[in-house]
């Protein structure tokens, strides 16, 4: 089957006052339907840039991204994104935050309410429809952001260090939740993280990026069946993958 996303020899150069900066260069990557791909790399190596290119938010200055047969097309409607901070609108209730993408698309908001309520229940937000974001903990706000990213049933979920601002225990809860929604609705997902342990726990394949300019250094297949148990973290095989990826990252 054709990959959902084909990234071919992609370069992104940002123009700035000092001339230009090549953020990523020569990036080749396939993302297959139903796959969870982790991307790890040090700060500044171009992970966010790569996600933006996949989302069509940044145009490659060289090479191409083919998404579902569309070349470098901007504004892919099939994408849901989750960022490090939840970016909720404080004057809207939780339910209205979740429905925002539907409203922005000018679609029938009411018809998405049952979907929003179902997602909220699955993601552990039942009963908080009419709360405001500032009444919720950081972990719960990120759950709201996850519901918002999923409301329109995207065919691709792009996650940019979504759990890095959460405490360790809340982060583990979110790992489990994310796995549950991914398998329940069979999402294809790209998870950018600088947490190698997180990448190994959640991904079918981990892409290791190196810097200056950003490029793919290695890919490691993680063969454990999904969804995975938190206990996996204490096993030998899991830790061998973590160590291998750590050494591929270099110092
Ligand atoms: N809009 C931009 N304009 C100019 N330079 C940028 C822009 N976005 C990112 N960069 C630069 O590109 C490089 C890669 O950034 P980024 O993709 O955010 O890396 P990462 O997400 O891995 O930390 C960095 O050197 C950063 O300063
Ligand atoms: Mg980033």
């Amino acid at each position: 089957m054709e990959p959902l996303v084909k990234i071919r020899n992609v370069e992104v150069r940002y123009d700035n006052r000092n001339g230009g900066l090549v953020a990523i260069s020569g990036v080749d990557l396939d993302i297959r339907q139903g796959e969870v791909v982790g991307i790890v790399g040090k700060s500044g190596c171009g992970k966010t840039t790569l996600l933006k290119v996949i989302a069509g938010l940044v145009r490659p200055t060289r090479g191409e991204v083919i998404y579902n047969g569309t070349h470098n097309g901007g504004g892919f409607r099939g994408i849901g994104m989750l960022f490090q901070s939840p970016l909720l609108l404080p004057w809207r209730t939780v339910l209205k935050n979740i429905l925002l993408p539907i409203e922005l698309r000018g679609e029938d908001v009411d018809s998405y309410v049952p979907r929003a309520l179902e997602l909220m229940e699955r993601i552990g937000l039942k009963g908080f429809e009419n709360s405001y974001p500032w009444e919720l903990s950081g972990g719960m706000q990120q759950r709201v952001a996850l519901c918002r990213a999923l409301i329109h049933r995207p065919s691709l979920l792009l996650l940019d260090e979504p759990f890095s601002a959460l405490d360790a225990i809340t982060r583990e809860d979110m790992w489990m939740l994310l796995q549950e929604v991914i398998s329940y609705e069979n999402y294809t997902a790209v998870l950018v993280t600088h947490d190698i342990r997180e990448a190994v726990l959640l991904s079918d394949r981990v892409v290791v990026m190196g810097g200056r300019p950003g490029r793919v250094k290695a890919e490691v297949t993680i063969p454990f069946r999904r969804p995975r148990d938190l206990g996996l973290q204490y096993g030998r095989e899991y830790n061998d993958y973590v160590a291998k990826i750590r050494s591929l990252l270099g110092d």
Side-chain angles (χ1 to χ4, degrees), residues 44 46-49 160-161 192:
K47 303 182 296 298
T48 296
T49 299
D160 194 356
E161 309 202 5
V192 163

Side-chain angles (χ1 to χ4, degrees), residues 14 16 21 23 42-49 212:
Y14 291 115
N16 58 27
L21 179 139
K42 292 181 181 169
S43 183
C45 75
K47 303 182 296 298
T48 296
T49 299
R212 306 207 180 260

Side-chain angles (χ1 to χ4, degrees), residues 133-149:
W134 38 269
E135 298 176 296
L136 307 179
S137 68
M140 288 175 78
Q141 291 182 24
Q142 202 56 325
R143 289 177 195 221
V144 176
L146 181 58
C147 290
R148 184 187 53 195

Side-chain angles (χ1 to χ4, degrees), residues 7 24 26-32 35-42 45-47 50-51 54 189-196 199-200 202-210 214-222 241 244-246 248-249:
I7 298 163
I24 56 177
V27 174
D28 286 300
L29 188 65
D30 280 350
I31 297 156
R32 296 181 278 272
E35 192 179 29
V36 178
V37 177
I39 298 183
V40 299
K42 292 181 181 169
C45 75
K47 303 182 296 298
L50 181 56
L51 273 196
I54 296 172
V190 181
L191 168 69
V192 163
T193 177
H194 49 235
D195 182 347
I196 300 170
V200 175
L202 298 176
S203 314
D204 297 310
R205 184 157 54 101
V206 176
V207 173
V208 181
M209 283 183 73
R215 68 210 150 79
V216 174
K217 276 172 101 176
E219 288 187 24
V220 179
T221 298
I222 313 294
Y241 281 111
K244 178 173 180 186
I245 291 165
R246 181 67 193 88
L248 286 167
L249 265 175

